[in-house]
Amino acid sequence: MQPLLIEKGIRPGVALLRLNRPESLNALNRALVAELTETLLQLEKDDEVKAIVITGNERAFAAGADIKEMANDSAIDMLLLDQFQRWDQIKRLKKVLIAAVSGYALGGGCELAMLCDIIIASETAQFGQPEIKIGVIPGAGGTQRLVRAIGKSRAMEYILTGRFFSAQQAAAWGLVSRVVPVELYLEEALKLAEEIASMPPIAVQLAKQSVLKAYELSLEEGLHFERRNFYLLFATEDQKEGMRAFMEKRTPQWKGR
Ligand code: CAA
């Protein structure tokens, strides 16, 4: 069975990637993470794709790294493999990634969802970083991104106990942008991706980069980064088209230039 299913053009400008190891609740083994990363890098170069939705199935987005695969590894195996450098490649992608999460998003699954730009959750979604229960800690960004998403005290509580939290809690705390009925979570994520894909691509890219800088820079540096990008957009044909179309009361035609 293919560990990753790819549907390009499922909506205009949208690609859907479906994690497909249902027998292990989409545990992220090395082959799946390699394929996911390679596919994302290819889609990054594909002009027809403007936004990417990553999903699993109703029962699980992903229940974490594959425990069975790594159980007997040594520290040196881990170091040499350096599996998590693939996650840095995903972090650097310019295109928009939306996680459509239903069921378990645990450990590396929660970390993958947090690596995406937006999370849409079904009402059955459950999030958590349960690594502590198997003798380790989150290794793909959980200790850093969960703190930034839900605050230190809550992140500490959930990382130190390994307990899960619900979609409703995740929404109340700002980890996910929306909770929708389980039959709608993928549809809603695809609709959102299509809407973003219809926006001027360079502006989308620079908006994403600017928002992500809020994680990493001081306010002063972040404001500077934003301002440079705002000014830069006045060099695009799409800025001229967008503002002209507004004044002429018509729909703009984007060129991505
Ligand atoms: N790795 C490998 N296999 C997994 C898995 C994982 N992370 N999660 C589930 N599976 C497998 C189970 O072993 C089981 O396979 P078998 O039928 O062959 O036994 C199958 O998926 C179904 O799982 P369960 O029978 O356990 O289903 P359940 O409904 O009783 O429980 C669950 C669901 C609570 C999610 C439970 O499976 C669970 O706790 N999974 C592990 C979660 C976890 O600890 N994730 C963190 C992994 S470490 C990590 O991710 C590190 C990092 O930072 C990157």
Side-chain angles (χ1 to χ4, degrees), residues 23-25 27 59 63-68 70 84 104 106-108 111 130-131 134 138-140 164:
E23 71 289 351
S24 61
L25 303 181
R59 187 165 175 226
D66 193 314
I67 300 169
K68 294 167 190 168
M70 67 184 163
F84 296 143
Y104 297 114
L106 305 175
E111 289 166 310
E131 289 90 342
I134 53 170
F164 304 163

PDB file of all heavy atoms in Angstrom, residues 23-25 27 59 63-68 70 84 104 106-108 111 130-131 134 138-140 164, ligand 1:
ATOM      1  N   GLU A  23      -3.289   1.061   9.235  1.00  0.00           N
ATOM      2  CA  GLU A  23      -3.087  -0.064  10.162  1.00  0.00           C
ATOM      3  C   GLU A  23      -2.277   0.347  11.387  1.00  0.00           C
ATOM      4  O   GLU A  23      -2.356  -0.291  12.430  1.00  0.00           O
ATOM      5  CB  GLU A  23      -2.441  -1.258   9.420  1.00  0.00           C
ATOM      6  CG  GLU A  23      -0.979  -1.101   9.009  1.00  0.00           C
ATOM      7  CD  GLU A  23      -0.711  -0.108   7.869  1.00  0.00           C
ATOM      8  OE1 GLU A  23      -1.674   0.369   7.247  1.00  0.00           O
ATOM      9  OE2 GLU A  23       0.475   0.172   7.604  1.00  0.00           O
ATOM     10  N   SER A  24      -1.495   1.425  11.259  1.00  0.00           N
ATOM     11  CA  SER A  24      -0.719   1.888  12.423  1.00  0.00           C
ATOM     12  C   SER A  24      -1.094   3.329  12.786  1.00  0.00           C
ATOM     13  O   SER A  24      -0.278   4.072  13.324  1.00  0.00           O
ATOM     14  CB  SER A  24       0.777   1.780  12.144  1.00  0.00           C
ATOM     15  OG  SER A  24       1.110   2.581  11.046  1.00  0.00           O
ATOM     16  N   LEU A  25      -2.340   3.697  12.531  1.00  0.00           N
ATOM     17  CA  LEU A  25      -2.846   5.050  12.834  1.00  0.00           C
ATOM     18  C   LEU A  25      -1.936   6.121  12.234  1.00  0.00           C
ATOM     19  O   LEU A  25      -1.661   7.144  12.844  1.00  0.00           O
ATOM     20  CB  LEU A  25      -2.998   5.245  14.354  1.00  0.00           C
ATOM     21  CG  LEU A  25      -3.896   4.227  15.077  1.00  0.00           C
ATOM     22  CD1 LEU A  25      -3.981   4.558  16.561  1.00  0.00           C
ATOM     23  CD2 LEU A  25      -5.294   4.204  14.473  1.00  0.00           C
ATOM     24  N   ALA A  27       1.212   6.146  11.736  1.00  0.00           N
ATOM     25  CA  ALA A  27       2.508   6.383  12.382  1.00  0.00           C
ATOM     26  C   ALA A  27       3.508   6.805  11.302  1.00  0.00           C
ATOM     27  O   ALA A  27       3.552   6.237  10.206  1.00  0.00           O
ATOM     28  CB  ALA A  27       2.986   5.125  13.093  1.00  0.00           C
ATOM     29  N   ARG A  59      -9.989   8.473  11.747  1.00  0.00           N
ATOM     30  CA  ARG A  59      -9.534   7.971  13.058  1.00  0.00           C
ATOM     31  C   ARG A  59      -8.203   8.588  13.499  1.00  0.00           C
ATOM     32  O   ARG A  59      -7.959   8.752  14.697  1.00  0.00           O
ATOM     33  CB  ARG A  59      -9.404   6.438  12.990  1.00  0.00           C
ATOM     34  CG  ARG A  59      -9.101   5.830  14.321  1.00  0.00           C
ATOM     35  CD  ARG A  59      -9.329   4.337  14.359  1.00  0.00           C
ATOM     36  NE  ARG A  59      -8.900   3.825  15.651  1.00  0.00           N
ATOM     37  CZ  ARG A  59      -8.154   2.753  15.824  1.00  0.00           C
ATOM     38  NH1 ARG A  59      -7.787   2.019  14.796  1.00  0.00           N
ATOM     39  NH2 ARG A  59      -7.799   2.378  17.041  1.00  0.00           N
ATOM     40  N   ALA A  63      -0.491   9.179  14.600  1.00  0.00           N
ATOM     41  CA  ALA A  63      -0.293   8.900  16.034  1.00  0.00           C
ATOM     42  C   ALA A  63       1.174   8.987  16.434  1.00  0.00           C
ATOM     43  O   ALA A  63       1.597   8.362  17.409  1.00  0.00           O
ATOM     44  CB  ALA A  63      -0.868   7.538  16.388  1.00  0.00           C
ATOM     45  N   GLY A  64       1.958   9.763  15.669  1.00  0.00           N
ATOM     46  CA  GLY A  64       3.341  10.005  16.087  1.00  0.00           C
ATOM     47  C   GLY A  64       4.361   9.288  15.238  1.00  0.00           C
ATOM     48  O   GLY A  64       4.017   8.590  14.270  1.00  0.00           O
ATOM     49  N   ALA A  65       5.622   9.469  15.600  1.00  0.00           N
ATOM     50  CA  ALA A  65       6.696   8.722  14.947  1.00  0.00           C
ATOM     51  C   ALA A  65       6.435   7.235  15.166  1.00  0.00           C
ATOM     52  O   ALA A  65       5.750   6.850  16.121  1.00  0.00           O
ATOM     53  CB  ALA A  65       8.031   9.125  15.543  1.00  0.00           C
ATOM     54  N   ASP A  66       6.988   6.409  14.269  1.00  0.00           N
ATOM     55  CA  ASP A  66       6.737   4.970  14.369  1.00  0.00           C
ATOM     56  C   ASP A  66       7.589   4.384  15.494  1.00  0.00           C
ATOM     57  O   ASP A  66       8.811   4.227  15.359  1.00  0.00           O
ATOM     58  CB  ASP A  66       7.052   4.305  13.025  1.00  0.00           C
ATOM     59  CG  ASP A  66       6.516   2.884  12.990  1.00  0.00           C
ATOM     60  OD1 ASP A  66       6.715   2.141  13.981  1.00  0.00           O
ATOM     61  OD2 ASP A  66       5.893   2.504  11.993  1.00  0.00           O
ATOM     62  N   ILE A  67       6.927   4.068  16.592  1.00  0.00           N
ATOM     63  CA  ILE A  67       7.637   3.593  17.794  1.00  0.00           C
ATOM     64  C   ILE A  67       8.336   2.263  17.512  1.00  0.00           C
ATOM     65  O   ILE A  67       9.475   2.035  17.941  1.00  0.00           O
ATOM     66  CB  ILE A  67       6.651   3.443  18.975  1.00  0.00           C
ATOM     67  CG1 ILE A  67       5.999   4.798  19.293  1.00  0.00           C
ATOM     68  CG2 ILE A  67       7.356   2.900  20.210  1.00  0.00           C
ATOM     69  CD1 ILE A  67       4.817   4.730  20.257  1.00  0.00           C
ATOM     70  N   LYS A  68       7.651   1.400  16.744  1.00  0.00           N
ATOM     71  CA  LYS A  68       8.232   0.065  16.489  1.00  0.00           C
ATOM     72  C   LYS A  68       9.519   0.179  15.681  1.00  0.00           C
ATOM     73  O   LYS A  68      10.466  -0.573  15.884  1.00  0.00           O
ATOM     74  CB  LYS A  68       7.219  -0.803  15.738  1.00  0.00           C
ATOM     75  CG  LYS A  68       5.975  -1.117  16.583  1.00  0.00           C
ATOM     76  CD  LYS A  68       4.853  -1.690  15.742  1.00  0.00           C
ATOM     77  CE  LYS A  68       3.569  -1.765  16.558  1.00  0.00           C
ATOM     78  NZ  LYS A  68       2.370  -2.046  15.746  1.00  0.00           N
ATOM     79  N   MET A  70      11.684   2.700  15.708  1.00  0.00           N
ATOM     80  CA  MET A  70      12.837   3.351  16.375  1.00  0.00           C
ATOM     81  C   MET A  70      13.196   2.735  17.728  1.00  0.00           C
ATOM     82  O   MET A  70      14.211   3.104  18.327  1.00  0.00           O
ATOM     83  CB  MET A  70      12.591   4.850  16.535  1.00  0.00           C
ATOM     84  CG  MET A  70      11.472   5.225  17.479  1.00  0.00           C
ATOM     85  SD  MET A  70      11.221   7.010  17.464  1.00  0.00           S
ATOM     86  CE  MET A  70       9.597   7.102  18.197  1.00  0.00           C
ATOM     87  N   PHE A  84      15.059  14.384  11.728  1.00  0.00           N
ATOM     88  CA  PHE A  84      14.280  15.621  11.877  1.00  0.00           C
ATOM     89  C   PHE A  84      14.788  16.757  11.000  1.00  0.00           C
ATOM     90  O   PHE A  84      14.130  17.797  10.912  1.00  0.00           O
ATOM     91  CB  PHE A  84      14.222  16.050  13.346  1.00  0.00           C
ATOM     92  CG  PHE A  84      13.488  15.056  14.222  1.00  0.00           C
ATOM     93  CD1 PHE A  84      13.911  14.801  15.515  1.00  0.00           C
ATOM     94  CD2 PHE A  84      12.389  14.360  13.742  1.00  0.00           C
ATOM     95  CE1 PHE A  84      13.244  13.872  16.318  1.00  0.00           C
ATOM     96  CE2 PHE A  84      11.716  13.429  14.540  1.00  0.00           C
ATOM     97  CZ  PHE A  84      12.149  13.183  15.825  1.00  0.00           C
ATOM     98  N   TYR A 104      -6.579  11.124  16.082  1.00  0.00           N
ATOM     99  CA  TYR A 104      -5.331  11.355  16.817  1.00  0.00           C
ATOM    100  C   TYR A 104      -4.324  12.213  16.043  1.00  0.00           C
ATOM    101  O   TYR A 104      -4.013  11.924  14.886  1.00  0.00           O
ATOM    102  CB  TYR A 104      -4.664  10.018  17.134  1.00  0.00           C
ATOM    103  CG  TYR A 104      -5.483   9.128  18.029  1.00  0.00           C
ATOM    104  CD1 TYR A 104      -5.998   7.927  17.569  1.00  0.00           C
ATOM    105  CD2 TYR A 104      -5.741   9.496  19.355  1.00  0.00           C
ATOM    106  CE1 TYR A 104      -6.759   7.106  18.394  1.00  0.00           C
ATOM    107  CE2 TYR A 104      -6.502   8.685  20.189  1.00  0.00           C
ATOM    108  CZ  TYR A 104      -7.002   7.486  19.695  1.00  0.00           C
ATOM    109  OH  TYR A 104      -7.753   6.690  20.520  1.00  0.00           O
ATOM    110  N   LEU A 106      -0.878  13.010  17.480  1.00  0.00           N
ATOM    111  CA  LEU A 106      -0.061  12.791  18.686  1.00  0.00           C
ATOM    112  C   LEU A 106       1.424  12.806  18.344  1.00  0.00           C
ATOM    113  O   LEU A 106       1.817  12.370  17.246  1.00  0.00           O
ATOM    114  CB  LEU A 106      -0.403  11.435  19.315  1.00  0.00           C
ATOM    115  CG  LEU A 106      -1.883  11.211  19.648  1.00  0.00           C
ATOM    116  CD1 LEU A 106      -2.093   9.777  20.143  1.00  0.00           C
ATOM    117  CD2 LEU A 106      -2.373  12.220  20.687  1.00  0.00           C
ATOM    118  N   GLY A 107       2.242  13.241  19.291  1.00  0.00           N
ATOM    119  CA  GLY A 107       3.693  13.201  19.095  1.00  0.00           C
ATOM    120  C   GLY A 107       4.057  13.878  17.778  1.00  0.00           C
ATOM    121  O   GLY A 107       3.667  15.021  17.519  1.00  0.00           O
ATOM    122  N   GLY A 108       4.764  13.131  16.929  1.00  0.00           N
ATOM    123  CA  GLY A 108       5.141  13.673  15.622  1.00  0.00           C
ATOM    124  C   GLY A 108       3.934  14.084  14.785  1.00  0.00           C
ATOM    125  O   GLY A 108       4.053  14.949  13.915  1.00  0.00           O
ATOM    126  N   GLU A 111       3.145  17.432  15.945  1.00  0.00           N
ATOM    127  CA  GLU A 111       4.235  18.306  15.487  1.00  0.00           C
ATOM    128  C   GLU A 111       4.107  18.601  13.989  1.00  0.00           C
ATOM    129  O   GLU A 111       4.378  19.712  13.540  1.00  0.00           O
ATOM    130  CB  GLU A 111       5.586  17.655  15.816  1.00  0.00           C
ATOM    131  CG  GLU A 111       5.857  17.679  17.321  1.00  0.00           C
ATOM    132  CD  GLU A 111       6.993  16.764  17.744  1.00  0.00           C
ATOM    133  OE1 GLU A 111       6.982  15.577  17.341  1.00  0.00           O
ATOM    134  OE2 GLU A 111       7.893  17.218  18.471  1.00  0.00           O
ATOM    135  N   PRO A 130       2.586  12.713  23.751  1.00  0.00           N
ATOM    136  CA  PRO A 130       2.687  11.674  24.798  1.00  0.00           C
ATOM    137  C   PRO A 130       4.059  11.005  24.900  1.00  0.00           C
ATOM    138  O   PRO A 130       4.185   9.967  25.553  1.00  0.00           O
ATOM    139  CB  PRO A 130       1.632  10.654  24.332  1.00  0.00           C
ATOM    140  CG  PRO A 130       1.592  10.788  22.849  1.00  0.00           C
ATOM    141  CD  PRO A 130       1.958  12.213  22.529  1.00  0.00           C
ATOM    142  N   GLU A 131       5.097  11.617  24.302  1.00  0.00           N
ATOM    143  CA  GLU A 131       6.422  10.970  24.268  1.00  0.00           C
ATOM    144  C   GLU A 131       6.930  10.615  25.653  1.00  0.00           C
ATOM    145  O   GLU A 131       7.640   9.638  25.845  1.00  0.00           O
ATOM    146  CB  GLU A 131       7.440  11.889  23.570  1.00  0.00           C
ATOM    147  CG  GLU A 131       7.237  12.037  22.073  1.00  0.00           C
ATOM    148  CD  GLU A 131       6.312  13.191  21.687  1.00  0.00           C
ATOM    149  OE1 GLU A 131       5.560  13.678  22.558  1.00  0.00           O
ATOM    150  OE2 GLU A 131       6.345  13.600  20.524  1.00  0.00           O
ATOM    151  N   ILE A 134       6.713   7.131  26.843  1.00  0.00           N
ATOM    152  CA  ILE A 134       7.565   6.061  26.303  1.00  0.00           C
ATOM    153  C   ILE A 134       9.048   6.400  26.521  1.00  0.00           C
ATOM    154  O   ILE A 134       9.927   5.880  25.835  1.00  0.00           O
ATOM    155  CB  ILE A 134       7.272   5.775  24.808  1.00  0.00           C
ATOM    156  CG1 ILE A 134       7.333   7.063  23.972  1.00  0.00           C
ATOM    157  CG2 ILE A 134       5.914   5.095  24.647  1.00  0.00           C
ATOM    158  CD1 ILE A 134       7.288   6.808  22.466  1.00  0.00           C
ATOM    159  N   PRO A 138       9.248  15.205  23.047  1.00  0.00           N
ATOM    160  CA  PRO A 138       9.017  15.561  21.646  1.00  0.00           C
ATOM    161  C   PRO A 138      10.348  15.909  20.980  1.00  0.00           C
ATOM    162  O   PRO A 138      11.201  16.542  21.613  1.00  0.00           O
ATOM    163  CB  PRO A 138       8.117  16.797  21.732  1.00  0.00           C
ATOM    164  CG  PRO A 138       7.452  16.701  23.067  1.00  0.00           C
ATOM    165  CD  PRO A 138       8.465  16.055  23.971  1.00  0.00           C
ATOM    166  N   GLY A 139      10.526  15.474  19.732  1.00  0.00           N
ATOM    167  CA  GLY A 139      11.815  15.698  19.064  1.00  0.00           C
ATOM    168  C   GLY A 139      11.693  16.466  17.767  1.00  0.00           C
ATOM    169  O   GLY A 139      12.693  16.825  17.159  1.00  0.00           O
ATOM    170  N   ALA A 140      10.465  16.702  17.339  1.00  0.00           N
ATOM    171  CA  ALA A 140      10.277  17.384  16.048  1.00  0.00           C
ATOM    172  C   ALA A 140       9.583  18.732  16.252  1.00  0.00           C
ATOM    173  O   ALA A 140       8.753  19.144  15.452  1.00  0.00           O
ATOM    174  CB  ALA A 140       9.485  16.493  15.093  1.00  0.00           C
ATOM    175  N   PHE A 164      -3.831  13.811  26.483  1.00  0.00           N
ATOM    176  CA  PHE A 164      -4.331  14.367  25.223  1.00  0.00           C
ATOM    177  C   PHE A 164      -5.251  15.553  25.532  1.00  0.00           C
ATOM    178  O   PHE A 164      -5.817  15.638  26.624  1.00  0.00           O
ATOM    179  CB  PHE A 164      -5.159  13.332  24.439  1.00  0.00           C
ATOM    180  CG  PHE A 164      -4.429  12.036  24.151  1.00  0.00           C
ATOM    181  CD1 PHE A 164      -5.150  10.903  23.776  1.00  0.00           C
ATOM    182  CD2 PHE A 164      -3.051  11.948  24.234  1.00  0.00           C
ATOM    183  CE1 PHE A 164      -4.489   9.710  23.506  1.00  0.00           C
ATOM    184  CE2 PHE A 164      -2.384  10.761  23.971  1.00  0.00           C
ATOM    185  CZ  PHE A 164      -3.107   9.641  23.604  1.00  0.00           C
TER     186      PHE A 164
HETATM  187  N1  CAA B   1       4.031   3.875  16.223  1.00  0.00           N
HETATM  188  C1  CAA B   1       3.839   2.630  15.784  1.00  0.00           C
HETATM  189  N2  CAA B   1       2.655   1.986  15.803  1.00  0.00           N
HETATM  190  C2  CAA B   1       1.606   2.653  16.311  1.00  0.00           C
HETATM  191  C3  CAA B   1       1.716   3.961  16.809  1.00  0.00           C
HETATM  192  C4  CAA B   1       3.005   4.583  16.738  1.00  0.00           C
HETATM  193  N3  CAA B   1       3.204   5.848  17.131  1.00  0.00           N
HETATM  194  N4  CAA B   1       0.506   4.356  17.271  1.00  0.00           N
HETATM  195  C5  CAA B   1      -0.336   3.349  17.056  1.00  0.00           C
HETATM  196  N5  CAA B   1       0.327   2.295  16.477  1.00  0.00           N
HETATM  197  C6  CAA B   1      -0.224   1.007  16.087  1.00  0.00           C
HETATM  198  C7  CAA B   1      -0.472   0.132  17.292  1.00  0.00           C
HETATM  199  O1  CAA B   1       0.723  -0.499  17.708  1.00  0.00           O
HETATM  200  C8  CAA B   1      -1.497  -0.841  16.747  1.00  0.00           C
HETATM  201  O2  CAA B   1      -0.828  -1.765  15.918  1.00  0.00           O
HETATM  202  P1  CAA B   1      -1.109  -3.377  16.151  1.00  0.00           P
HETATM  203  O3  CAA B   1      -2.536  -3.537  15.741  1.00  0.00           O
HETATM  204  O4  CAA B   1      -0.138  -3.997  15.219  1.00  0.00           O
HETATM  205  O5  CAA B   1      -0.877  -3.633  17.594  1.00  0.00           O
HETATM  206  C9  CAA B   1      -2.323   0.053  15.805  1.00  0.00           C
HETATM  207  O6  CAA B   1      -1.509   1.185  15.509  1.00  0.00           O
HETATM  208  C10 CAA B   1      -3.599   0.554  16.442  1.00  0.00           C
HETATM  209  O7  CAA B   1      -3.263   1.173  17.666  1.00  0.00           O
HETATM  210  P2  CAA B   1      -3.918   0.740  19.072  1.00  0.00           P
HETATM  211  O8  CAA B   1      -4.337  -0.669  19.043  1.00  0.00           O
HETATM  212  O9  CAA B   1      -2.951   1.158  20.134  1.00  0.00           O
HETATM  213  O10 CAA B   1      -5.214   1.678  19.062  1.00  0.00           O
HETATM  214  P3  CAA B   1      -5.979   2.257  20.340  1.00  0.00           P
HETATM  215  O11 CAA B   1      -7.224   2.883  19.793  1.00  0.00           O
HETATM  216  O12 CAA B   1      -6.086   1.274  21.423  1.00  0.00           O
HETATM  217  O13 CAA B   1      -5.010   3.435  20.885  1.00  0.00           O
HETATM  218  C11 CAA B   1      -3.563   5.349  20.694  1.00  0.00           C
HETATM  219  C12 CAA B   1      -4.730   4.554  20.088  1.00  0.00           C
HETATM  220  C13 CAA B   1      -3.962   5.942  22.041  1.00  0.00           C
HETATM  221  C14 CAA B   1      -3.223   6.485  19.714  1.00  0.00           C
HETATM  222  C15 CAA B   1      -2.344   4.419  20.899  1.00  0.00           C
HETATM  223  O14 CAA B   1      -2.120   3.714  19.677  1.00  0.00           O
HETATM  224  C16 CAA B   1      -1.069   5.132  21.243  1.00  0.00           C
HETATM  225  O15 CAA B   1      -0.869   5.538  22.374  1.00  0.00           O
HETATM  226  N6  CAA B   1      -0.140   5.276  20.245  1.00  0.00           N
HETATM  227  C17 CAA B   1       1.166   5.850  20.463  1.00  0.00           C
HETATM  228  C18 CAA B   1       1.121   7.360  20.597  1.00  0.00           C
HETATM  229  C19 CAA B   1       2.502   7.906  20.882  1.00  0.00           C
HETATM  230  O16 CAA B   1       3.111   7.607  21.888  1.00  0.00           O
HETATM  231  N7  CAA B   1       3.015   8.771  19.960  1.00  0.00           N
HETATM  232  C20 CAA B   1       4.323   9.399  20.097  1.00  0.00           C
HETATM  233  C21 CAA B   1       5.337   8.613  19.328  1.00  0.00           C
HETATM  234  S1  CAA B   1       6.984   9.182  19.599  1.00  0.00           S
HETATM  235  C22 CAA B   1       7.157  10.582  18.641  1.00  0.00           C
HETATM  236  O17 CAA B   1       6.250  10.960  17.922  1.00  0.00           O
HETATM  237  C23 CAA B   1       8.479  11.311  18.743  1.00  0.00           C
HETATM  238  C24 CAA B   1       8.532  12.619  18.037  1.00  0.00           C
HETATM  239  O18 CAA B   1       8.525  13.670  18.641  1.00  0.00           O
HETATM  240  C25 CAA B   1       8.632  12.699  16.586  1.00  0.00           C
END
